Amino acid sequence: MSGNFSFSNSDIFALLTKAHQIVPGIGKIITIQYSKNKQKTEAYTLLQPSNPLSVQDVVLDDSVLEAIDEFRMRDIKFSWHAEEDLPFNLHKQKIKQLDVFNELERNILMLGIKNDADKKNDLLIFYFNENISNFAISNSNKSLTPENKIIIGSLLYNSLQMLLDVMRHDRKTLENYNRNVNYVISTMKDAQNANSDFKEKHDNVLLNYAYEILSQSELARHSGKMVLTESAINKIKSYEGEISTLKNIITQAAFFASNLNIGSAEQTIYIEDYHLNFEAAKADKTQIAAQVNSRYQKTISLLDKLEEAAQDVQRKNKMLTGINVGSACKKAISAPAISDALKKHRSKIITLLKDHPDRWNLIRTEFKPLINVLTPRHNHLDDIAKQA
């Protein structure tokens, strides 16, 4: 058959089951194939082709293997043989003891299928009735003619060739699928390893920083050796805040632990996980954020007032001028006053617009007094005015 194909036992039995479906009257099948894994030639007999469980191993001695090898080296697609033509008959007595070649009157069809492992043919040997009852609905005494045999050989050869093509395609598809799955698994493992390495390095950085803070603290020089317990180490590893805040947390923990150690004969001060107050650090951060927000509150109020007024002007289909927006404010404001307020808050406005890109959309894009204040040209004129 065209192309190379290395058989497994499941491949063999799939082919033989297909052959029996094509020609139901096949009585017995012998397979001879080279096993790449075992590096030897093996033979099996399928006594009932419709039943893969009826398979039996065939023991081959060296002399039989030598004769079989001659057949395997022949360049054949299919050929018909009598029992005495087959290599098994070199030692009839031994073969007879195996009880696998005892139907001497059957015509025998041999198919050759190239084995990719040793570049020789694997052999499929089919035992047929001598007449055409393999194909007829009822028994027939008509003998198989040479033409019948050519048709049968071509039919089986081409049908099994088609099945082999499907098996090759399915196996290739499965190999590609397995390769893709293995690649995904490998990528996931690499990512996990990378994350694990990153976390380990991150943990080491935090711990080294914590030990450095402890070693340089005044408490360590006056109160004695300070040691992080296992629970404290694990808690520090779980820290997700800013690294700058960690210094204050470690320092406060050391102070807390040293105070609890006053009056104790123990020279070593152990810092436990409950000495580390991450929540206080979060509260400090929130307080700082609140302080920052209070610094910007007047600027936020100015922008909110202008945005609300601009939306009211737009709803009335008026131009977004300083005069119209100033008049629409709840407490009216003149256009020059708006410009002066925007100039006064310019640096804070820039920060707020950057930090809150989803707010004050109308005035940041369409209100000229604000746009003019933010343009580089306006900034340059401001600088000239300051130098004058």
Side-chain angles (χ1 to χ4, degrees):
M1 292 186 177
S2 61
N4 294 332
F5 192 78
S6 183
F7 279 115
S8 67
N9 286 345
S10 60
D11 297 330
I12 291 285
F13 299 143
L15 286 174
L16 300 186
T17 300
K18 182 66 176 179
H20 182 262
Q21 292 173 352
I22 298 170
V23 187
I26 297 174
K28 179 176 67 176
I29 304 174
I30 295 175
T31 71
I32 299 171
Q33 70 271 356
Y34 179 78
S35 171
K36 181 179 179 180
N37 293 333
K38 299 178 183 178
Q39 295 188 341
K40 69 175 185 177
T41 301
E42 298 179 322
Y44 299 94
T45 297
L46 199 61
L47 299 176
Q48 300 176 37
S50 61
N51 181 14
L53 298 179
S54 68
V55 66
Q56 295 181 1
D57 294 347
V58 177
V59 179
L60 304 174
D61 61 27
D62 292 340
S63 59
V64 172
L65 283 171
E66 184 178 349
I68 287 175
D69 200 52
E70 293 180 6
F71 273 81
R72 294 191 66 231
M73 288 188 293
R74 296 178 183 178
D75 185 17
I76 62 167
K77 293 182 179 179
F78 67 88
S79 56
W80 289 85
H81 300 272
E83 179 73 23
E84 57 269 17
D85 296 333
L86 298 178
F88 309 107
N89 283 304
L90 294 177
H91 301 283
K92 286 187 177 181
Q93 187 175 1
K94 290 187 178 180
I95 299 298
K96 195 171 184 179
Q97 289 175 353
L98 293 173
D99 194 30
V100 293
F101 304 112
N102 55 357
E103 297 183 41
L104 301 179
E105 295 182 356
R106 293 191 174 183
N107 288 341
I108 301 169
L109 173 64
M110 179 185 295
L111 301 183
I113 301 173
K114 192 69 70 178
N115 187 307
D116 190 42
D118 66 352
K119 309 304 180 184
K120 300 176 185 179
N121 280 333
D122 288 338
L123 305 176
L124 300 181
I125 303 171
F126 301 89
Y127 283 69
F128 283 84
N129 294 326
E130 293 181 354
N131 51 51
I132 62 173
S133 61
N134 297 281
F135 303 93
I137 296 177
S138 59
N139 292 334
S140 175
N141 293 324
K142 292 183 180 180
S143 299
L144 287 172
T145 65
E147 291 78 9
N148 294 148
K149 292 180 180 179
I150 292 174
I151 292 173
I152 295 171
S154 298
L155 178 65
L156 274 181
Y157 178 82
N158 293 327
S159 297
L160 297 186
Q161 171 67 71
M162 291 177 60
L163 180 60
L164 279 176
D165 289 341
V166 172
M167 293 168 66
R168 291 189 189 99
H169 178 268
D170 289 349
R171 180 171 293 179
K172 188 67 176 178
T173 301
L174 180 60
E175 288 174 355
N176 290 336
Y177 174 79
N178 289 340
R179 198 158 37 242
N180 291 336
V181 170
N182 289 332
Y183 173 76
V184 171
I185 293 174
S186 176
T187 302
M188 291 177 62
K189 288 182 178 179
D190 290 343
Q192 289 174 350
N193 292 335
N195 289 337
S196 178
D197 292 342
F198 176 79
K199 187 178 185 309
E200 183 177 356
K201 291 178 181 178
H202 176 265
D203 292 347
N204 289 336
V205 168
L206 290 179
L207 288 176
N208 290 336
Y209 183 58
Y211 284 125
E212 183 179 355
I213 293 170
L214 290 176
S215 65
Q216 293 178 358
S217 69
E218 290 291 330
L219 289 171
R221 285 192 285 270
H222 296 92
S223 301
K225 182 180 179 181
M226 291 189 173
V227 176
L228 293 170
T229 63
E230 190 69 25
S231 62
I233 289 174
N234 290 333
K235 188 168 183 177
I236 291 174
K237 286 181 179 180
S238 68
Y239 179 71
E240 297 180 352
E242 296 178 2
I243 193 71
S244 58
T245 308
L246 184 60
K247 181 177 181 179
N248 185 52
I249 294 174
I250 300 295
T251 302
Q252 292 296 329
F255 181 78
F256 185 21
S258 62
N259 283 339
L260 294 177
N261 201 54
I262 293 175
S264 172
E266 179 63 56
Q267 295 298 314
T268 301
I269 298 174
Y270 293 95
I271 299 177
E272 301 286 351
D273 59 337
Y274 51 81
H275 296 147
L276 299 164
N277 193 344
F278 290 174
E279 296 301 322
K282 291 180 182 178
D284 291 341
K285 186 176 180 180
T286 302
Q287 185 177 0
I288 292 172
Q291 292 174 353
V292 171
N293 287 336
S294 66
R295 288 174 48 214
Y296 286 86
Q297 191 57 51
K298 289 184 178 180
T299 307
I300 293 172
S301 296
L302 172 63
L303 294 175
D304 285 344
K305 178 169 65 175
L306 294 176
E307 178 74 11
E308 183 180 358
Q311 290 176 359
D312 185 48
V313 170
Q314 189 181 59
R315 280 193 295 270
K316 295 177 181 178
N317 295 321
K318 295 182 179 181
M319 299 289 291
L320 286 179
T321 63
I323 295 175
N324 289 337
V325 171
S327 300
C329 291
K330 292 180 179 179
K331 185 177 180 180
I333 180 172
S334 67
I338 291 177
S339 296
D340 289 341
L342 292 174
K343 290 177 184 179
K344 180 180 178 182
H345 291 266
R346 177 179 157 275
S347 61
K348 292 181 179 179
I349 289 174
I350 292 174
T351 300
L352 287 170
L353 293 180
K354 181 180 179 182
D355 292 344
H356 304 280
D358 57 335
R359 297 183 65 178
W360 310 297
N361 292 323
L362 182 57
I363 59 174
R364 79 162 72 207
T365 58
E366 298 187 35
F367 189 47
K368 289 292 186 180
L370 176 59
I371 295 173
N372 291 336
V373 168
L374 300 177
T375 57
R377 178 177 175 275
H378 181 90
N379 300 342
H380 178 63
L381 292 176
D382 278 354
D383 293 338
I384 293 176
K386 290 178 182 176
Q387 295 173 3

